[in-house]
Amino acid sequence: MTPSDSLAPAALRGAVDLSALSQRPPTPADAAPAAASPVRFDTDDASVEIRMTQSMRVPIVLIAWTQRSAPSLELVNTMVRLAEARNGKIGIAPLEVERAPQLIAALQLQSVPTVIALVAGQPVPLFEGVQPEPVINDLFDRLLELAAQHGVTGELNIASDASPAEPEPTPLPPLHQEAEAALERRDFAAAVQAYKTAIAQDPRDSAAVAGMARAALLGRLNGRGMADIRNAAAAAPTDLEAQLAVADLDVSGGHVDDAFDRVLTLFPTLDADGKAIARQRLLELFEVVGTDDARVAAARRRLTNLLY
């Protein structure tokens, strides 16, 4: 999916530089989060993978916020209320920056509040700063239109007597369930193996192919510092593995074009073995992003031209 620039309002107001947060006084005690809501899913580094899975069913809106910024807290409460009015068609995932340093770095967020939607596992930038309700309402309408174009048309369970509820998932095949369970416990090798077994049983299982590529990507990044990855690539611009690591990082953070361009620019300088490795990694990243994504189609054409 290609993030739609038309979704982002031109005005950016109310944003707070993340680097300055440590010097800001705490938010007054009366600026408290809204009461529990069936459309609200507070998110951190450990639970973002669950949000990605949820976004295959309903759009999930990530809001980077902090207790030290009263406007960001107010925005969270406003967006939860507006999502509730849509009867479970949108989920809100407040992302408190102090609890999600890895995700904040991966998304390269510079200020709070920043709002990014997830649709079918892909990030769609919405806006920075504080926006008025009419703007947010319009954005939600267009976000639902975008989601529908990609088959994301489910609803959350918002029964009045329910506690914050996860979307009711479509039952997964046993091996897919095994893979998802492995991902939740961050056993990426086991997830890859489960998906690999599913593909061996049914080579046409495109969901398993994409899932295996995603699990392999997470496994390659697991435990690696983002600054270390970028510094290593900057120090060795012709080192294939270093550049592939940054491409992994960029795809995980939604910087898809940057990832593809990095590998494809290096590609003509590689020997035959290096080209084979780079090609295989690109094919895996294509699966992670989605083979029907316009950015994948463009990168695939460029790769074909380089090969032939």
Side-chain angles (χ1 to χ4, degrees):
M1 179 193 317
T2 303
S4 173
D5 292 337
S6 64
L7 283 172
L12 302 179
R13 53 183 178 273
V16 177
D17 187 342
L18 286 175
S19 65
L21 287 179
S22 61
Q23 302 173 15
R24 295 175 66 89
T27 302
D30 59 354
S37 165
V39 303
R40 175 174 178 157
F41 308 95
D42 289 285
T43 300
D44 55 20
D45 282 338
S47 59
V48 68
E49 193 67 31
I50 299 173
R51 305 297 161 249
M52 299 288 283
T53 301
Q54 284 180 310
S55 76
M56 305 303 292
R57 183 174 177 82
V58 297
I60 298 294
V61 179
L62 298 174
I63 310 171
W65 72 287
T66 176
Q67 293 278 0
R68 295 177 179 271
S69 169
S72 72
L73 178 55
E74 181 180 353
L75 179 65
V76 169
N77 294 340
T78 297
M79 296 187 82
V80 167
R81 176 166 48 80
L82 294 177
E84 287 174 337
R86 282 167 168 77
N87 299 317
K89 294 181 180 178
I90 292 177
I92 303 297
L95 186 70
E96 192 169 4
V97 295
E98 293 84 358
R99 298 177 59 203
Q102 294 182 7
L103 183 58
I104 294 300
L107 295 173
Q108 299 183 12
L109 302 188
Q110 301 299 318
S111 62
V112 290
T114 295
V115 182
I116 297 173
L118 297 175
V119 179
Q122 294 300 308
V124 181
L126 296 184
F127 62 86
E128 296 176 355
V130 177
Q131 299 294 335
E133 285 193 23
V135 171
I136 298 172
N137 264 317
D138 181 60
L139 278 170
F140 278 4
D141 288 343
R142 286 187 281 164
L143 178 60
L144 287 172
E145 291 174 2
L146 179 67
Q149 293 171 14
H150 295 275
V152 180
T153 57
E155 294 183 2
L156 299 166
N157 177 8
I158 57 170
S160 59
D161 58 349
S163 58
E166 303 289 326
E168 295 181 4
T170 302
L172 294 172
L175 284 167
H176 287 243
Q177 292 182 29
E178 180 181 331
E180 290 298 322
L183 286 173
E184 289 188 16
R185 65 177 185 268
R186 302 184 69 79
D187 188 345
F188 303 114
V192 168
Q193 185 56 51
Y195 281 128
K196 186 178 295 185
T197 302
I199 295 167
Q201 293 182 2
D202 180 6
R204 298 171 299 177
D205 188 344
S206 59
V209 173
M212 186 172 71
R214 177 167 56 97
L217 169 64
L218 293 171
R220 290 192 298 268
L221 292 175
N222 188 39
R224 300 192 62 184
M226 296 169 189
D228 291 341
I229 290 174
R230 294 196 182 278
N231 289 339
T238 62
D239 183 272
L240 176 58
E241 289 302 324
Q243 302 309 313
L244 291 178
V246 177
D248 284 343
L249 186 61
D250 281 342
V251 166
S252 73
H255 305 282
V256 173
D257 287 330
D258 291 342
F260 292 163
D261 182 67
R262 178 180 294 272
V263 180
L264 290 167
T265 298
L266 183 64
F267 194 89
T269 70
L270 302 172
D271 59 19
D273 289 341
K275 287 180 178 178
I277 293 170
R279 175 181 176 277
Q280 182 58 39
R281 181 64 57 83
L282 280 169
L283 293 178
E284 292 179 16
L285 295 180
F286 291 168
E287 292 289 346
V288 172
V289 175
T291 54
D292 61 345
D293 190 291
R295 295 165 296 181
V296 169
R300 196 185 295 277
R301 288 192 298 270
R302 187 174 167 189
L303 176 61
T304 300
N305 290 335
L306 290 172
L307 287 170
Y308 303 104

